[in-house]
Amino acid sequence: MLPLSSAVAGLGASLSLSACGGGSVVPAVTFTSASFSSMAAPTLANADAMATTSVGSVMTVNFSDNSKLDYKLAYQPFFVTGDLVADGKGGKTLAGGYYDINNQPIMDATVAGKTRQYFSDSPDGTSLMSVAGAKVTGVVGNTVFAVVQFEYATWAQDGVTAMYGKLPSPIAVLTLDQNPATGKLSLVKYHNVDTSGVHGLWITCGASLSPWGTHLSSEEYEPNAFTAATDSQFKAFSKNLYGSETAANPYHYGHMPEVTVNADGTGSIKKHYCMGRISHELVQVMPDNRTVLMGDDATNSGYFVFVADREKDLSSGTLYVAKVGAGFSLDTAAAAAPLTWIKLGSATSAEIHTLANTLKPTDIMTVASTDPLDASYTKITANGKVEWVKLQPGMEKAAAFLETHRYAAYVGASMGFSKMEGTTVNIKDKVAYSALQNCRDSMVAGNAANVVGNGVSVAKALNAGAVMALNLRGSQKDTNGATISSEWMPVDLKALLVGEDITADALGNTGNPNKIANPDNLKFSEKMRTLFIGEDSGQHVNNFLWAYNLDTKVLSRIMSIPAGGESTGLHAVDELNGWTYIMSNFQHPGDWGSIHNVVKATLDPLLKANYKDKFGAAVGYLTGELTQTKLSKA
């Protein structure tokens, strides 16, 4: 097995032609393009394929002499959560295991006599990287690392106690032994990162690798600070983390964590409190090392950009939110809608952390759920609900960074998107991509959550969602006329790919299985000119991982996730010590919805057998088996 060997930099280099008679030198054969064949969606004719990671795609690498290499793709897991894996100290540790603020295991005692440590069935954001001077005992080839975060656990082991958002999210550094000859990755050490210094982590979802080699995490669905004291989910989170239902502070969550990996395979973490307290999803740092486009996975979400004061340092900067101009459409043939930017404020992480530690929600603003019939209040729509807010004097900065959704709506931003998920960037063309998992509710004219006149409105819901393209430019000014210090600001918004809602087919799909549905994770490969799209779909019986070639416009299904699961952890790595990788995980196999009624009875026992009674899920990567090669030239 060969992990997507960068014919780009690995085998491609070996295809260089040697000198022929007379001493003439033939130019080296170079990589020109890559493409993926599209596999068929699995059906009950092969139920086993529906109950596991099924891969049936071939990656073709083309060269400048018109030769090619074909790789038959396959999936290779490092582990399934709940496995005992090496801790690098001669012992074992539980993959995906949960820990409290004192780094003690959190135990699941919901089944009498079978107490065990909680572990996640929902691995998500993953970053693959190298670290200068890395040295870890047990590695015999190249030392590389992956950072993996675990979003949540769906159920306690009794199968009836829902655990979503009730446990502090763990995050781990994996030390991997990379075989220099084949590129194969083998797990050597699993290190659980101590998150106590950042108050623990809340619902870590998508992630990305920063240009300077750190793991940029996320905290999704920021807890509502005004209702946290009575919110059963947040009280349970606090109890599991601190041992007390009242110890956790909601203003400590909904921020952007960053993990730095050390040369010995350990890691440290900090949170950036100055990037907006929103439903952080997958962020993308632009090539300037300062500009950050952020996903905002919420109803009434918006486009947020953070511009750091200094390169490779997200601890201070300016936060902006977009206004959408006329012409927004989900028609891929329509013109792009313009974007302008409202400055929300400038701050350091330290000063916002201090505000989070000291302020109560009512110190910042008053929020009413019914009309107070008071002109000093402003009507907004936030998180799917109409509210009336009144800002306390002098609290603009606190509101901008701790009540970001409400404040953005208050100042007139286009807070009208629904579940805005992953982001990524195509550097060559200077285009960013953004996933809208669905286009409904706040995006639909006439819906109670839709804000008339905010620029985000479609006549009819598109439940299957869309991938949007945003052109990036410099020399932009904010709505007050001040220059924005970035050459990578989104200036417009256009649909690139859209799903298609259908009447349920024979298998149960309510989204066309040959198109994307509910896109979530996005990553772009510069070298392959390919946008990879992972689904979080309630419309595909099996979620898929897709590859879309920007030049040929070909969309190819390259992997099918176990039925009821979600495609997560996507990370496209063009080159790491001469090898190319596509990292991919999945979450919650067999999490059944109404679309699974046709397949559930057949697949449930298979999924239970494959994934620890459905409590486990895999962390791994796509590999390639070389099936066609020609290493010499006449």
Side-chain angles (χ1 to χ4, degrees):
M1 297 295 291
L2 296 172
L4 297 186
S5 164
S6 197
V8 178
L11 286 178
S14 70
L15 289 175
S16 300
L17 300 183
S18 59
C20 299
S24 61
V25 177
V26 180
V29 177
T30 57
F31 166 86
T32 57
S33 66
S35 62
F36 296 84
S37 67
S38 190
M39 62 175 280
T43 68
L44 285 175
N46 185 357
D48 287 339
M50 296 187 73
T52 189
T53 45
S54 178
V55 185
S57 176
V58 172
M59 174 185 175
T60 298
V61 181
N62 301 296
F63 296 94
S64 56
D65 67 343
N66 296 318
S67 64
K68 67 176 184 176
L69 294 175
D70 285 343
Y71 297 89
K72 183 179 179 182
L73 301 185
Y75 185 69
Q76 178 63 49
F78 298 126
F79 55 78
V80 172
T81 55
D83 285 351
L84 289 172
V85 295
D87 64 2
K89 305 173 186 176
K92 298 287 186 179
T93 191
L94 187 69
Y98 285 92
Y99 298 87
D100 65 17
I101 199 69
N102 298 310
N103 292 305
Q104 295 302 303
I106 302 174
M107 307 307 290
D108 179 352
T110 58
V111 177
K114 294 185 178 180
T115 297
R116 71 184 189 190
Q117 184 180 2
Y118 278 105
F119 60 89
S120 176
D121 64 338
S122 298
D124 207 304
T126 300
S127 297
L128 184 68
M129 67 188 75
S130 60
V131 173
K135 186 174 183 180
V136 179
T137 301
V139 176
V140 296
N142 300 321
T143 303
V144 299
F145 302 104
V147 180
V148 181
Q149 58 198 45
F150 301 89
E151 187 176 3
Y152 57 88
T154 305
W155 302 102
Q157 63 173 321
D158 63 5
V160 295
T161 303
M163 294 305 298
Y164 178 83
K166 296 179 180 179
L167 294 163
S169 295
I171 191 164
V173 177
L174 312 182
T175 299
L176 304 172
D177 187 346
Q178 184 192 47
N179 186 314
T182 67
K184 179 178 171 60
L185 302 175
S186 302
L187 180 65
V188 170
K189 173 183 175 180
Y190 180 109
H191 168 77
N192 196 69
V193 176
D194 179 2
T195 64
S196 61
V198 295
H199 315 289
L201 297 176
W202 167 269
I203 312 181
T204 53
C205 196
S208 64
L209 182 68
S210 73
W212 52 93
T214 58
H215 174 86
L216 301 179
S217 180
S218 57
E219 290 187 311
E220 189 178 60
Y221 307 125
E222 79 282 12
N224 187 342
F226 286 86
T227 61
T230 57
D231 185 320
S232 61
Q233 179 195 47
F234 190 72
K235 289 165 65 177
F237 170 84
S238 182
K239 176 74 172 176
N240 283 312
L241 178 58
Y242 287 104
S244 164
E245 289 188 343
T246 60
N249 176 353
Y251 281 145
H252 287 156
Y253 309 101
H255 300 286
M256 223 294 300
E258 181 177 17
V259 175
T260 300
V261 177
N262 304 317
D264 63 355
T266 61
S268 62
I269 189 168
K270 54 189 171 184
K271 276 186 192 176
H272 299 293
Y273 299 91
C274 55
M275 298 179 70
R277 186 171 166 270
I278 60 175
S279 186
H280 279 287
E281 178 76 26
L282 196 162
V283 308
Q284 178 63 54
V285 180
M286 300 301 166
D288 64 354
N289 294 315
R290 294 176 55 243
T291 306
V292 188
L293 176 63
M294 298 181 279
D296 182 22
D297 185 5
T299 301
N300 295 106
S301 54
Y303 279 108
F304 291 89
V305 166
F306 177 78
V307 181
D309 291 333
R310 296 171 295 277
E311 288 191 34
K312 304 180 182 181
D313 180 358
L314 302 178
S315 65
S316 68
T318 302
L319 181 64
Y320 298 90
V321 64
K323 284 182 67 72
V324 179
F328 176 79
S329 174
L330 296 175
D331 181 353
T332 57
L339 298 176
T340 53
W341 294 92
I342 300 170
K343 178 182 174 179
L344 294 180
S346 299
T348 68
S349 183
E351 67 179 311
I352 302 305
H353 190 204
T354 297
L355 294 178
N357 291 338
T358 56
L359 293 178
K360 301 186 298 294
T362 50
D363 294 333
I364 301 173
M365 61 176 60
T366 303
V367 176
S369 57
T370 57
D371 190 346
L373 302 176
D374 182 338
S376 66
Y377 283 75
T378 299
K379 181 181 178 181
I380 66 167
T381 305
N383 298 306
K385 297 179 179 179
V386 174
E387 297 176 333
W388 288 260
V389 301
K390 181 179 181 179
L391 201 63
Q392 304 296 357
M395 284 293 162
E396 288 80 6
K397 179 173 287 191
F401 292 95
L402 294 178
E403 288 292 340
T404 310
H405 276 143
R406 290 185 170 104
Y407 187 69
Y410 175 85
V411 298
S414 293
M415 303 299 291
F417 296 96
S418 58
K419 291 190 68 63
M420 182 190 295
E421 306 254 5
T423 60
T424 191
V425 65
N426 167 355
I427 297 172
K428 178 183 177 182
D429 297 335
K430 217 167 181 181
V431 176
Y433 305 104
S434 170
L436 297 178
Q437 190 207 13
N438 52 58
C439 303
R440 63 187 191 200
D441 302 330
S442 58
M443 294 184 68
V444 180
N447 186 281
N450 181 255
V451 179
V452 176
N454 78 348
V456 184
S457 185
V458 294
K460 179 183 178 183
L462 177 61
N463 294 309
V467 175
M468 310 300 290
L470 301 87
N471 285 305
L472 306 167
R473 300 286 184 269
S475 303
Q476 301 303 300
K477 296 183 182 297
D478 66 26
T479 52
N480 287 327
T483 299
I484 300 174
S485 177
S486 171
E487 294 299 310
W488 295 85
M489 290 298 292
V491 297
D492 56 25
L493 180 66
K494 176 180 171 58
L496 174 73
L497 293 170
V498 297
E500 180 186 356
D501 298 336
I502 62 171
T503 302
D505 64 15
L507 200 62
N509 294 300
T510 60
N512 186 334
N514 295 316
K515 295 183 178 181
I516 61 167
N518 312 119
D520 187 332
N521 277 208
L522 295 181
K523 286 293 192 299
F524 186 73
S525 167
E526 289 286 333
K527 198 151 281 188
M528 290 188 278
R529 297 281 296 163
T530 297
L531 178 65
F532 294 96
I533 305 163
E535 295 181 338
D536 175 12
S537 180
Q539 295 182 258
H540 282 169
V541 173
N542 286 89
N543 277 323
F544 305 125
L545 176 61
W546 301 88
Y548 178 71
N549 187 291
L550 265 292
D551 298 321
T552 65
K553 314 301 182 188
V554 172
L555 179 69
S556 304
R557 181 190 294 108
I558 61 174
M559 183 162 74
S560 173
I561 302 303
E566 171 187 342
S567 177
T568 62
L570 179 61
H571 183 202
V573 182
D574 278 345
E575 195 278 327
L576 184 60
N577 299 322
W579 299 93
T580 297
Y581 298 91
I582 303 171
M583 313 301 292
S584 184
N585 310 328
F586 65 83
Q587 294 184 348
H588 52 72
D591 186 12
W592 302 124
S594 59
I595 66 167
H596 298 106
N597 290 340
V598 175
V599 304
K600 178 179 177 180
T602 302
L603 298 185
D604 200 59
L606 298 176
L607 286 159
K608 287 180 175 178
N610 288 343
Y611 301 112
K612 297 182 170 66
D613 284 330
K614 302 194 301 186
F615 287 102
V619 172
Y621 65 108
L622 283 167
T623 72
E625 178 183 358
L626 189 61
T627 58
Q628 183 174 317
T629 180
K630 185 177 182 182
L631 297 179
S632 62
K633 305 289 180 181

